[in-house]
Amino acid sequence: MDGLTPAESRELDQRLQKRQVKEFMTVFGNLVDNCFTACVDDFTSKALSGRESGCISRCVLKSMSTQTRLGERFGELNAAMTAEMQRR
């Protein structure tokens, strides 16, 4: 962030933080929607059945593992691209 005034730097940081929160909320909302749709199908009770609860736990775990792996893979690819650019 070279060349920015302290005020501009703060403004940029605030915008980045807002964007990160928005992106997190989108991912979280999609996770809830996907797992609810896939797992909950009995609306005769307020409580989740054992099957529904287990399904939701597995769905969330799988989604989180997938996001973690995607993040790792993105980091690997980014590092490889950076190294390739530095060699040129």
Side-chain angles (χ1 to χ4, degrees):
M1 291 188 226
D2 295 336
L4 297 178
T5 67
E8 291 170 332
S9 183
R10 281 192 304 275
E11 174 72 20
L12 181 58
D13 286 342
Q14 289 174 347
R15 287 182 184 209
L16 289 173
Q17 287 176 358
K18 286 180 182 179
R19 183 175 179 187
Q20 287 175 334
V21 168
K22 185 177 180 180
E23 288 173 2
F24 171 79
M25 294 304 292
T26 298
V27 169
F28 181 75
N30 289 337
L31 171 72
V32 169
D33 187 49
N34 291 337
C35 292
F36 181 86
T37 300
C39 297
V40 179
D41 54 13
D42 180 11
F43 298 99
T44 61
S45 172
K46 291 181 187 179
L48 293 172
S49 69
R51 183 195 60 75
E52 290 171 331
S53 182
C55 179
I56 288 173
S57 293
R58 287 186 301 278
C59 181
V60 169
L61 182 61
K62 187 174 184 177
S63 295
M64 290 176 64
S65 296
T66 300
Q67 289 295 322
T68 299
R69 180 62 186 129
L70 285 171
E72 290 169 353
R73 187 68 179 128
F74 179 77
E76 292 165 4
L77 292 172
N78 191 35
M81 287 173 49
T82 301
E84 180 66 27
M85 291 177 71
Q86 289 176 346
R87 281 188 282 227
R88 291 181 181 180

